[in-house]
Amino acid sequence: MSAAPVLRVSGVTKAFGEREVLRGVDLEVPEHRAVAVIGASGSGKSTLLRCADLLEEIDDGDIFLDGEVITDPMVDTVAVRRRLGLVFQAYNLFPHMNVIDNVMLGSVRAHGIERDEAERRARELLGRFGLEGRERDRPDDLSGGQQQRVAIVRAIAGSPRALLLDEITSALDPELVGEVLEAVRELKQEGMTMLIVTHEMSFAREVADEVCFLHDGRILERGPPAKVLESPERPETQQFLRRLLTAGRL
Amino acid sequence: MFKQSFPDVLEAFWFDVRMFVVVEVVVLVLGLAVALVRTTTAPALFPVRLLALGYVDVFRGIPTLLLVYLIGFGIPALELSGLPTSAVVLGGAALALSYGAYVSEVYRAGIVSVHRGQRDAARAIGLTEGQALRHVILPQAVRRVGPPLLNDFISLQKDIVLISVLGVAGEAFRVAQIDAASDFNYTPLIAAAICFLAITIPLARIVDRLSVGTGGVAR
């Protein structure tokens, strides 16, 4: 192992009241790598991402960003979030702002970039993800796929060390999934470090360097996509993949 | 009779309008401050939240007229130095306290109606809580509660007459009442009513338009 992983999750537990959602999760995302987390609904996948972005407080364990612990109570959570990007399942664009303001808000307010420079960069990024000419549109006027691409651009506008993707295609009509996955493929090629929670197994197989199967708050199996998705060892993984297969999602 | 009394009433009504504007500004600021306190979640702020809750419960629970009496006559009766004794100031304060409680609830409804994902997204792009509130939550919240806020404006505009019970000279209703009482002709009261309608009806149309724009029911 050369350098420290960009993101490291170590023994993380998280409960909502009596319900234990994460029961000791360990995970590493090395630089320029993509790690996909798969698992059934309610297995704790989204909670894991929210904890990594410090939107939820963890109960135990540690999370490290570039080797530095970020889950210590003394850490400035805002400063940490500025070093990470998170894309939500439901896009969560700001409906009262047009596309370019959605993208620029973080650059200007959180990163202190000059408006002109922020706008130049936002335009460039929007153009790169096929959103040229939509800068002044409201999110409501865009298709789901376009909205999610804006959300991706918004998340990477602050040049994050790692990008967290939370089931970013689950809310999309099937014919719009492709364009969003294409955007992620492009990011991967550029070397973006990513932690991806997904239901798209074919996508996990194609983009991820490692797949982790999360079951009941624990990672039961991990390894290269070909191995985990095609010849899983654990009966829980086999059952999960079988269910996806019968649902036509594999 | 109408011709005679109308200029007096109109002049007095101008006082009402100015009074309304000043009280409304105080109400908007006070209401927002109370709503912001009430929507905080930090355990450390619990005492302040309790105080805000107490304020809303008490001042929304007392009839506005009674509150005008209590503050307008009660405060001077305490004979404490440093407190204002002007009927205009005390009457205005009573109205502001009463409406501030209502308006804080309107704001609060708007703030809590903004989806949790908006705050998450604002924090995820690295905004502080204050920036998230300022740039993401409040603009959406205020837009949503425009119609109910304007409703309260209209109500306050009419309730300015309540300070006439403190003997504020030059208040439109008071002037009309005195004019009417002098010769048992109620025309001056009609003149005052027309003045109020001249403000409240246009405001009502604005509320309608806003309601349509935000998917409300009015037309």
Side-chain angles (χ1 to χ4, degrees), chain A residues 50 53 55 78 81-82 84 86 88 92-97 105-106 109-110 154, chain B residues 115-118 120-129 131 135-136 139-140 143:
Chain A
R50 293 178 60 84
D53 203 31
L55 292 176
V78 174
R81 285 192 211 105
R82 287 174 183 168
L84 289 167
L86 173 59
F88 300 86
N92 295 1
L93 293 177
F94 307 130
H96 58 299
M97 293 180 184
L105 182 65
R109 302 288 166 184
R154 179 176 70 177
Chain B
H115 195 270
R116 187 180 97 119
Q118 291 290 307
D120 285 346
R123 293 202 297 163
I125 59 170
L127 299 188
T128 62
E129 291 287 346
Q131 287 175 324
H135 298 288
V136 176
Q140 296 184 60
R143 242 164 265 210

Side-chain angles (χ1 to χ4, degrees), chain A residues 21 23 43 59 109 140-141 144 176 195 211 213 216 236 250:
Chain A
V21 181
R23 305 166 179 237
S43 59
D59 297 331
R109 302 288 166 184
D140 276 353
D141 298 327
L176 301 175
L195 180 56
V211 172
F213 174 63
D216 219 6
E236 293 90 345
L250 204 61

Side-chain angles (χ1 to χ4, degrees), chain B residues 7-29:
Chain B
D8 290 350
V9 173
L10 192 64
E11 195 190 324
F13 184 68
W14 176 232
F15 167 83
D16 286 35
V17 170
R18 282 178 299 163
M19 184 85 191
F20 161 71
V21 170
V22 172
V23 175
E24 185 62 46
V25 170
V26 176
V27 164
L28 286 174
V29 174

Side-chain angles (χ1 to χ4, degrees), chain B residues 94-109:
Chain B
L95 288 174
L97 285 169
S98 180
Y99 275 85
Y102 279 104
V103 165
S104 77
E105 286 297 276
V106 172
Y107 275 129
R108 194 168 71 94

Side-chain angles (χ1 to χ4, degrees), chain B residues 41-67:
Chain B
T41 50
L45 292 175
F46 178 73
V48 200
R49 271 201 297 280
L50 199 66
L51 202 69
L53 176 67
Y55 160 71
V56 173
D57 279 354
V58 168
F59 285 90
R60 206 171 47 158
I62 301 175
T64 310
L65 179 60
L66 182 51
L67 200 61

